[in-house]
Amino acid sequence: VFVPTSAGRVAVGFAADPTAGAFHGVAGVALAGHTDRATQRGLLAAMKRSVGATALEEVALEEAPGPLAALADLLVRFYEGADVPLAQTPLDLRRTTPFRQRTYAAARAIPRGETRTYGELAAAMGSPSSGRAVGQALAQNPFPLCVPCHRVVAQGGALRGFSAPGGTRTKARLLALERPQVPETSPSRQRTPF
């Protein structure tokens, strides 16, 4: 499903289960690329990581399951600067390792407009020495924005390692988009300077 936003067309995917007719959650999100085809390639890669997808079938937004239509509305509003509950979006985690599930849950707990380092996120998960593994898990995050990996930064607040189109420039834009509605934070929960 393509979602037209002010930042371009974001793609959102779900795994169809024709036998059960069930919606298991969002299976992938791809931020807008330079072309729709690039965005589709990003979505296929995300869905391959999350549910093992090998092909995509485009579905019109009007035909998408209700939760996907609700997510489309949240994405449009997010890019307009609204504080929306993207982290509450149901995700299809059936093929996600327990460590990645914990990593994604910890990232989803980071409040809008705040950042954490990879090490801080690892410590919050109870694995203080796994900062590098946290970074690797987030580098493969198939659910950007729903799992706000853009809020995780390197030691000292440096913006590194964002695999979405535009790289760290996109990460900086997403953080700036969230910033206007955020009160000052304590030094340990600093907003990242740009």
Side-chain angles (χ1 to χ4, degrees):
V1 172
F2 276 109
V3 180
T5 73
S6 61
R9 287 168 39 104
V10 174
V12 179
F14 64 100
D17 189 348
T19 57
F23 177 74
H24 297 288
V26 171
V29 176
L31 303 185
H34 296 294
T35 64
D36 280 355
R37 184 171 211 153
T39 305
Q40 281 180 321
R41 282 193 305 268
L43 181 61
L44 181 57
M47 291 182 62
K48 185 173 185 176
R49 288 190 301 272
S50 68
V51 295
T54 57
L56 297 176
E57 179 180 328
E58 190 168 343
V59 175
L61 185 54
E62 301 78 35
E63 298 171 16
L68 233 53
L71 175 58
D73 179 60
L74 294 178
L75 289 168
V76 168
R77 292 177 39 223
F78 172 83
Y79 280 108
E80 292 171 347
D83 183 2
V84 295
L86 287 168
Q88 295 176 15
T89 302
L91 304 177
D92 189 341
L93 299 171
R94 293 174 294 163
R95 291 180 49 145
T96 305
T97 67
F99 180 81
R100 287 189 180 198
Q101 287 183 32
R102 289 189 3 253
T103 300
Y104 298 161
R108 291 177 104 181
I110 301 170
R112 175 188 171 88
E114 294 185 20
T115 60
R116 302 289 185 275
T117 66
Y118 296 100
E120 288 173 329
L121 201 63
M125 294 167 48
S127 303
S129 63
S130 64
R132 191 168 301 225
V134 164
Q136 291 170 346
L138 292 176
Q140 296 294 313
N141 173 17
F143 316 105
L145 301 182
C146 298
V147 174
C149 53
H150 63 281
R151 297 179 187 159
V152 185
V153 297
Q155 190 68 27
L159 301 182
R160 294 209 176 102
F162 198 60
S163 57
T168 55
R169 285 187 322 236
T170 298
K171 187 172 193 166
R173 282 189 212 116
L174 293 172
L175 289 169
L177 190 62
E178 293 181 333
R179 182 170 291 153
Q181 301 171 1
V182 179
E184 287 301 316
T185 56
S186 68
S188 67
R189 304 202 187 270
Q190 292 180 14
R191 291 179 275 168
T192 305
F194 310 70

